[in-house]
Amino acid sequence: MTDPLRDHDQGGTPGRAQAEARRSDTSAGPDSGGGRARRTGFRLLIGSHVLNETGAAATLVVLPLTAVLALDASAWQTALIESAYFAAYLVLGLPAGALVERMRLRRVMIAADVARCVALASLPLAWAGDVLSLPMIYGAALLLGGAQLFGDIADHSYLPHLVSDDRLVQGNSTLQLARSGAELGGPGLGGLSVQGLGAYWALAANAVASAASAVLLWRIAVPEPKPPKPPHGLVRQTWEGLRFVRDHRVLRAFALSAGLNNFVFSGAFALNVVFLSEVVAVPPGLVGVLLASGAVGALTGAWLTPRLARRFGDARTAVLAVPAAAPFLLLTPLTDDGWRIALFPLSHIAISVGVTAFNILQVTYRQRACPAGMLSRVSAIFRFAVWGVAPLGAMAGGALAAHLGVRTALWVLAGALIAVAPLPVCSPLRGTRNFDVNFPARDTSC
C-alpha cells in the first residue's frame, strides 16, 4: 500500500510527520501566549456552541408554536417547517464541505450566526408589521437549517486549531456535552419562553443569542491561516471528498454504519410519540419527560467517553459502542403501563450513551486522519450520510407501522439495528485498541 500523504488529491490518512506538525502547532506550553490564546479560544468556542445548540433546539419548538399561535397552522403545515429546516442537509450536504474549505472557518461560523440572527429577527418584525406568513416561516426555517449545516461543518474542522491532538477526544466530548445539554433543556426552554414571553419575544431572544454567539467567535484571538486557493472546481472537489471516504476503509465503514444506524433510529424515533400516547396510553406531560431521556443518555455518554477510551482504548470503544447498546432498543416495544414504563427511558438512555460515544470517537478519528484540506469535505459527507437518510427512515418506520402495527414495527426496527450495528467490527479497526492514523487504511485497488 502507498503512503496516502504523498498525494493530497488521491486522499488518505496523514503520516506521522503531519500528525506531529499539527500537534506542535496546537500544543503550546502553559506559559506561552499561544497556549493561553488557544485555551481562551476554546472557552469562547464552547460558549458559542452552548448558545447555538440551545437556540437551535429551542427554535424547533418556537417556530411551529409561532405558526400555530400567529397563523393557526395545521399539523401538516407545522410538519413542513421541520422538513424545510432539514432540507439543506439533502440539497447542500455534499458540496457544503468543499465550500467551507474555500473560506476561513471562524468566518463561516460567524456568518452562520449572523444568518441565524437575521432569519429569527425577521419573524417578530414581520409579525409586528402584520405581514407574517407561512412561506416566510418556511423560508426562515430553510435559512436556519442551512446556517446550522455550515456552522457544524466549520466547528468540527476548527476544533483542531484550538486543542492539541492528544486532547481531541476531550475537546469533542466537551462539545458533545454542550450539544446534549441543549437537546435536554432547549425544547423545554423554547416552550417556556413562548408561554412566559410570547412567541414574539421568544423569537427575538433566540436572535439575540445568535448575535451573542457571533461576538464570542469574533473574540477568538487564535490566528487562522488563509485557506489555499482550490486547485479544482466545486464539483471535482466534492467528488474528491467522496472518493477519499470511499477508498478509506475505516471512514467508509464509519460513514456506512452511521447512515444505516440513523436510518433505523429515524424510523423508530418517528413512532415514539404515537407509541407512547396511543399504544401505551401515557399522559401528554409524561411523553415529553420520557422523550427527554435520550438527552440524559447523550450527556452521560459525553461524560463517559473519555474515560471509556482511556480504559479500553479509543478504537475499541468506537467499534463496540453501538453494537453493545443496540440490544437495549428491544426494551422499547416491551414498554407498557405500570412498572414497564421504565423500560422506555432505560432503552433510550443506553442507546444514546452508545451512539454518543461512537460519534465523539469517530469525529476525533476524522480530525486526526484527514488531511487539513479534506476535513470539511469529509465532515459534510458524514452529515449528508447521517441526516440525509433521516426522512427516508421516518417514512420507512411509518410504513411498517401502517402495515404491521406500531409495536410490531418497533420490534422489526430493533432487530434491524442489531443486524447493522456491528458494521464497524468489519473495519480495519477490528482487534485494534487505539486509533493509529499511520496504519494503512486506504484501499489501493480502487
Side-chain angles (χ1 to χ4, degrees):
M1 294 192 178
T2 60
D3 181 355
L5 182 61
R6 292 177 184 171
D7 189 345
H8 175 89
D9 289 339
Q10 291 180 357
T13 57
R16 187 177 305 276
Q18 180 173 343
E20 291 297 330
R22 183 162 58 193
R23 186 178 294 109
S24 64
D25 287 343
T26 58
S27 57
D31 297 325
S32 68
R36 287 192 297 272
R38 289 187 178 92
R39 287 193 296 273
T40 301
F42 180 69
R43 295 188 190 102
L44 292 170
L45 179 66
I46 294 299
S48 165
H49 210 67
V50 168
L51 290 170
N52 275 333
E53 296 297 334
T54 305
T59 296
L60 287 175
V61 174
V62 174
L63 279 183
L65 284 176
T66 300
V68 170
L69 295 174
L71 302 171
D72 197 25
S74 67
W76 168 250
Q77 289 169 328
T78 56
L80 287 178
I81 296 174
E82 185 168 346
S83 298
Y85 186 90
F86 288 107
Y89 292 86
L90 281 172
V91 177
L92 298 174
L94 289 177
L99 287 169
V100 168
E101 284 178 1
R102 296 163 180 252
M103 299 171 278
R104 284 188 169 93
L105 300 173
R106 188 162 62 99
R107 292 182 182 179
V108 172
M109 293 186 287
I110 292 173
D113 282 337
V114 172
R116 275 187 282 257
C117 180
V118 170
L120 290 165
S122 68
L123 298 179
L125 291 175
W127 195 349
D130 201 25
V131 294
L132 183 65
S133 65
L134 280 172
M136 186 175 292
I137 293 179
Y138 297 149
L142 185 64
L143 182 57
L144 289 167
Q148 190 73 23
L149 169 65
F150 281 88
D152 284 350
I153 293 171
D155 73 23
H156 281 163
S157 302
Y158 188 68
L159 182 63
H161 289 277
L162 300 179
V163 300
S164 59
D165 185 74
D166 60 345
R167 293 190 61 80
L168 277 175
V169 170
Q170 185 62 53
N172 282 308
S173 295
T174 304
L175 290 177
Q176 183 61 49
L177 277 169
R179 182 178 294 113
S180 301
E183 291 172 354
L184 180 63
L189 183 62
L192 288 174
S193 63
V194 171
Q195 181 177 334
L197 302 175
Y200 183 99
W201 289 107
L203 289 166
N206 281 352
V208 171
S210 294
S213 172
V215 171
L216 292 179
L217 292 172
W218 175 74
R219 291 184 58 199
I220 294 177
V222 178
E224 182 184 353
K226 182 179 179 180
K229 184 178 180 181
H232 308 297
L234 187 63
V235 173
R236 182 168 175 181
Q237 273 192 287
T238 302
W239 166 244
E240 287 173 353
L242 287 167
R243 186 176 61 182
F244 178 87
V245 174
R246 181 201 68 184
D247 293 349
H248 196 291
R249 292 180 295 163
V250 177
L251 293 177
R252 182 175 66 214
F254 280 169
L256 286 173
S257 178
L260 289 172
N261 290 343
N262 206 49
F263 180 88
V264 177
F265 289 141
S266 298
F269 296 163
L271 303 179
N272 280 341
V273 172
V274 67
F275 174 68
L276 291 173
S277 60
E278 296 186 7
V279 178
V280 186
V282 173
L286 184 56
V287 169
V289 174
L290 293 173
L291 292 176
S293 61
V296 174
L299 278 169
T300 305
W303 179 80
L304 277 176
T305 298
R307 293 157 178 81
L308 292 173
R310 287 193 295 268
R311 174 67 178 83
F312 301 106
D314 49 9
R316 185 177 298 164
T317 302
V319 166
L320 297 178
V322 179
F328 284 88
L329 193 59
L330 294 169
L331 297 180
T332 297
L334 285 172
T335 301
D336 216 326
D337 57 358
W339 69 267
R340 288 170 62 182
I341 196 71
L343 297 178
F344 186 91
L346 178 60
S347 169
H348 283 65
I349 288 172
I351 289 292
S352 294
V353 169
V355 171
T356 300
F358 171 77
N359 286 340
I360 290 171
L361 294 172
Q362 62 91 0
V363 167
T364 302
Y365 178 81
R366 289 188 344 233
Q367 291 165 338
R368 290 173 176 170
C370 293
M374 189 68 72
L375 181 55
S376 293
R377 276 175 281 176
V378 172
S379 295
I381 290 166
F382 269 74
R383 298 200 73 78
F384 176 81
V386 172
W387 293 107
V389 302
L392 303 177
M395 288 190 294
L400 284 172
H403 287 86
L404 304 175
V406 176
R407 194 183 294 273
T408 304
L410 288 171
W411 280 115
V412 172
L413 291 165
L417 181 63
I418 292 172
V420 302
L423 181 60
V425 179
C426 303
S427 77
L429 296 176
R430 180 181 60 255
T432 302
R433 175 180 172 82
N434 291 304
F435 290 131
D436 180 3
V437 298
N438 299 299
F439 80 91
R442 180 175 175 269
D443 290 341
T444 56
S445 58
C446 297

